[in-house]
Amino acid sequence: MNLREKREKYESDILSPRAAKSAQTRGRLHEADKCDLRTEFQKDRDRITHCKAFRRLMHKTQVFISPEGDHYRTRLTHTLEVAQIARTAARALSLNEDLTEAIALGHDLGHTPFGHTGEDALDNLLPEGFHHNEHSVRITEPLNLTFEVRDGILNHRSNGNPATLEGRIVQISDKIAYINHDVDDALRAKLLVSTDLPANAREMMGESSQARIDFLVRDLISYSADRDSVSLSPEVSAVLKELRAYLFANIYAHQLHNSERKKIQTLLRLLFEHYIKHPEKLPEELRKTAKDKAAADYIAGMTDRYAMKRFREIYMPSAWEV
């Protein structure tokens, strides 16, 4: 029995009957040889962490664009925080930790530069709209991931319906992570003080980010332990929803002055128009699709700094050198 088979046996013998089992995956889009060291979900996790799209997350905005401090979250640190929270919950519930980690590490691979401002800009430029979860699935096609991982990535947003409990854990962990670290970053930026947060949230979850995350993870685990579904308790879910609404009204809507938001929208629009007019400038693998879709996909893959670099190269005059 090789190491993969031993792990598959462990999953069968030890994990919850509700857990997704790697030996029973619904498969990949293209047949692939099995590894004697790793399960199918472990292979997916490794494929994601070694891909270029994952590395680019370190230079993509989470909420605060071009912050001065070194300790603000990026899309990469957000992803790692989601993975940590999700793995803790999956382990406690005897679900498949490898599948959970793979989904968490891949869930934001398709996010745009400049955070949600960038996503809104591309959404307005495409007739069919732009959604980062769908783009995340598209850009993982060369990785040939399993159905369960692709499904979890596609359905991680609030309106999604993951096919596995592991996907559901990531969906909730994403919300736990971004609500709490966005509060932390807003406090660091002095956009609010802790007493500004809704009283219900402070009284129930505590005053610190650490306390809030610990409370929410414990509630997720205890409420889901003897159920066929995974969720926060109704009362905790309601307070978390109130805290999220507060952030949307007071932080996300105001973290950029309108003038800065318009600059980003203009930058991405001009890049989009350039690549529509000059599809030969796009990477060769993108030229097979419709021009507007290809341009949006290329821009979505850019980091903040690369988008600004390309804009300067295209639209700004070069300095004269003697």
Side-chain angles (χ1 to χ4, degrees), residues 9 17 60 67 75 119 127 145 150 178 197 201 216 222 228 246 249 252 268 289 292 296 320 322:
K9 186 176 187 306
K60 289 194 176 190
R75 192 62 59 178
E119 183 169 15
L145 302 176
R150 287 184 284 113
Y178 76 69
L197 299 174
L216 291 166
S222 62
D228 292 331
Y246 172 85
Y252 303 145
L268 295 183
T289 57
D292 59 347
W320 178 264
V322 179

Side-chain angles (χ1 to χ4, degrees), residues 112-124:
T112 62
F114 306 112
H116 291 289
T117 301
E119 183 169 15
D120 290 343
L122 291 184
D123 190 45
N124 291 330

Side-chain angles (χ1 to χ4, degrees), residues 193-211:
V193 294
S194 59
T195 52
D196 291 334
L197 299 174
N200 286 343
R202 290 188 286 112
E203 292 169 5
M204 175 182 282
M205 302 179 194
E207 296 286 350
S208 69
S209 178
Q210 180 180 359

Side-chain angles (χ1 to χ4, degrees), residues 286-297:
L286 291 176
R287 298 176 200 167
K288 306 169 188 175
T289 57
K291 287 190 291 185
D292 59 347
K293 190 73 167 175
D297 283 357

Side-chain angles (χ1 to χ4, degrees), residues 62 73 76-105 107 165-182 184 208-222 224 230-232 240:
Q62 174 63 21
R73 271 71 171 191
L76 179 60
T77 56
H78 161 71
T79 293
L80 296 177
E81 290 181 33
V82 173
Q84 178 269 316
I85 292 169
R87 286 180 59 192
T88 297
R91 187 184 304 125
L93 294 171
S94 295
L95 296 175
N96 197 309
E97 194 174 336
D98 295 324
L99 172 58
T100 304
E101 185 178 25
I103 296 170
L105 292 173
H107 82 281
L165 295 183
E166 290 81 1
R168 175 65 174 152
I169 284 180
V170 173
Q171 187 182 47
I172 298 171
S173 298
D174 182 35
K175 194 177 276 77
I176 292 174
Y178 76 69
I179 287 175
N180 282 285
H181 63 50
D182 292 351
D184 193 35
S208 69
S209 178
Q210 180 180 359
R212 286 189 296 270
I213 291 174
D214 183 74
F215 175 85
L216 291 166
V217 171
R218 288 177 183 274
D219 180 78
L220 172 62
I221 292 167
S222 62
S224 305
V230 170
S231 65
L232 296 166
L240 187 65

